[in-house]
Amino acid sequence: MTVLVTGGAGYIGSHMVWELLDAGEDVVVLDRLSTGFEWAVAPEAKLVVGDVGDIGLVSSIIRKHKVDAVIHFAGSIVVPESVADPLGYYENNTSKTRSLLEAVVRENVPHFIFSSTAAVYGGAGLEPVREDAPLKPESPYGVSKLMTEWMLRDTAAAHGLRYTALRYFNVSGADPRGRTGQSTPGATHLIKVACETATGKRPWMQVYGTDYPTPDGTCIRDYIHVSDLVAAHRLALARLRAGGDSLTANCGYSHGYSVLEVIDSVRRVHGADFDVRIAARRPGDAPAVIANSELARQELGWRPIYDDLDRIVADALNWEKYLQHTASDSPERRRRKRRLSLEATRPRKKNFQPNAV
Ligand code: UDP
């Protein structure tokens, strides 16, 4: 049996591929490489370059590789871009997932894991938000993901598919072993921006607003290490394979940090100061968004092991330094280098351990 990872050449997807390979799974990646990178795909995974909306292609991959589970990351993720181009987001995130689901149902794939988002809640608050909180997405991005959740629910009810939708909070950090990380240029996420500034890629960065109703006036977010996030997916897969019901669950640590606390952490871990400027609020930012993650802990047996801001920042910084070190390499050269440097070092577990974290 093989796991199909869509978007497996992207940030979170490439971590998922390593996580699955480490657990002894066979993996096929479907990615059109619009924002992902061929070199980011672990060498032992098969990469198919193509579109998740291509029903014929997805069906043939499922048949050829005997896929029993799809983990679906492919999609567009930039909130302001979704405001400017809602139809593009409904096409990429919603319509194409509809096509993907059609192939999944046609080919009788029993398990589906979907990357959803805290953006389905809209402006939360200082209290951790539970899955049964009102759903009020404030951007086309959030709406596109919520519509997909609903599509999944209805498809599962009609066709016997079982799924897990994981609502991500602020995913950050990089693989602790340095095998992959966040590589897309023009990043907007706080930890990535701060690491780029610390390492000299940007001359300065901005804090968007210091007049929020929070203790230090800056926004609070629940930053979760990408490795803990992909571990939750691995546990979700094991649960579905063991017969578990469909589930929608938050993935966050249930506590948050302010923008200034994050920047302090980057200064501390990097060991040097960098230029930070106070700016106006960024439109659409909620004062605080924090997960209640009890459900994931109970249902998946999820036990995060990287719940430490400095650790998240250290891994993100290491990856940033690696990226800048290899900046002049061609993708092919970079891929070859990674393959060579990883080949000797990677142990491979024989058996899948459903409950190991
Ligand atoms: N932020 C900031 N400067 C930046 C990037 C982000 O002050 O260069 C703030 C942003 O306004 C928000 C928080 O950091 O309050 C987290 O933003 P990010 O884009 O990382 O994630 P979001 O929660 O918007 O998905």
Side-chain angles (χ1 to χ4, degrees):
M1 286 296 178
T2 301
V3 181
L4 169 60
V5 179
T6 76
Y11 170 43
I12 303 173
S14 64
H15 287 81
M16 187 76 244
V17 171
W18 280 113
E19 177 80 12
L20 291 166
L21 292 170
D22 286 346
E25 298 280 342
D26 291 320
V27 180
V28 58
V29 167
L30 176 61
D31 198 302
R32 63 178 181 175
L33 301 181
S34 56
T35 54
F37 304 95
E38 191 260 342
W39 55 259
V41 179
E44 286 172 32
K46 162 108 180 109
L47 170 65
V48 178
V49 179
D51 202 295
V52 293
D54 183 340
I55 298 175
L57 175 65
V58 174
S59 297
S60 73
I61 294 171
I62 291 170
R63 278 198 300 273
K64 180 170 174 201
H65 295 276
K66 300 188 170 47
V67 168
D68 83 314
V70 175
I71 307 185
H72 178 38
F73 295 99
S76 304
I77 57 159
V78 183
V79 172
E81 192 178 73
S82 79
V83 176
D85 179 23
L87 294 178
Y89 271 66
Y90 295 135
E91 167 69 10
N92 263 350
N93 291 356
T94 314
S95 301
K96 288 190 178 181
T97 306
R98 198 215 70 84
S99 301
L100 175 66
L101 282 173
E102 185 166 332
V104 161
V105 166
R106 268 193 207 171
E107 301 300 330
N108 296 311
V109 177
H111 311 124
F112 195 93
I113 300 178
F114 172 58
S115 51
S116 191
T117 170
V120 299
Y121 298 117
L126 285 168
E127 280 303 304
V129 63
R130 283 169 36 135
E131 291 79 359
D132 55 4
L135 299 172
K136 294 183 191 161
E138 288 173 5
S139 65
Y141 168 69
V143 176
S144 73
K145 290 285 187 175
L146 183 55
M147 288 198 292
T148 307
E149 282 193 12
W150 287 338
M151 226 163 32
L152 259 175
R153 179 199 60 197
D154 297 343
T155 306
H159 298 288
L161 175 75
R162 281 176 296 110
Y163 71 90
T164 306
L166 295 175
R167 293 179 179 158
Y168 307 166
F169 284 65
N170 288 62
V171 187
S172 36
D175 178 46
R177 292 166 63 187
R179 298 172 297 184
T180 186
Q182 195 170 357
S183 312
T184 317
T188 58
H189 290 310
L190 177 64
I191 291 182
K192 173 88 174 162
V193 168
C195 290
E196 286 182 356
T197 315
T199 52
K201 190 173 176 195
R202 296 173 189 246
W204 46 273
M205 64 169 292
Q206 294 178 310
V207 173
Y208 299 133
T210 53
D211 59 348
Y212 285 96
T214 60
D216 68 13
T218 64
C219 292
I220 294 175
R221 294 289 181 274
D222 187 339
Y223 296 92
I224 166 180
H225 195 295
V226 62
S227 295
D228 279 333
L229 181 76
V230 296
H233 291 67
R234 176 175 50 73
L235 294 166
L237 176 63
R239 181 180 169 279
L240 287 172
R241 282 176 171 165
D245 291 336
S246 294
L247 174 75
T248 299
N250 290 337
C251 276
Y253 289 149
S254 304
H255 59 86
Y257 292 97
S258 73
V259 173
L260 295 180
E261 285 172 328
V262 168
I263 292 170
D264 275 351
S265 167
V266 177
R267 285 189 174 121
R268 191 165 52 240
V269 175
H270 181 59
D273 205 355
F274 49 92
D275 189 353
V276 178
R277 303 178 184 184
I278 304 301
R281 288 184 178 198
R282 189 174 70 175
D285 278 341
V289 186
I290 301 168
N292 177 318
S293 55
E294 272 312 301
L295 192 62
R297 290 168 198 265
Q298 275 169 23
E299 288 290 329
L300 305 179
W302 185 52
R303 301 286 178 272
I305 55 177
Y306 299 107
D307 179 0
D308 175 82
L309 182 60
D310 284 4
R311 175 61 197 263
I312 293 175
V313 164
D315 288 336
L317 262 173
N318 278 342
W319 182 253
E320 205 49 54
K321 287 175 190 162
Y322 165 79
L323 274 185
Q324 289 176 29
H325 177 66
T326 55
S328 56
D329 287 358
S330 68
E332 172 58 20
R333 195 163 154 232
R334 188 181 281 188
R335 188 181 59 74
R336 270 208 321 273
K337 261 194 190 171
R338 287 196 80 59
R339 195 186 291 256
L340 286 174
S341 66
L342 293 168
E343 247 164 23
T345 57
R346 218 168 66 72
R348 184 109 197 253
K349 285 185 208 155
K350 284 246 160 26
N351 298 313
F352 186 45
Q353 302 287 317
N355 293 317
V357 180

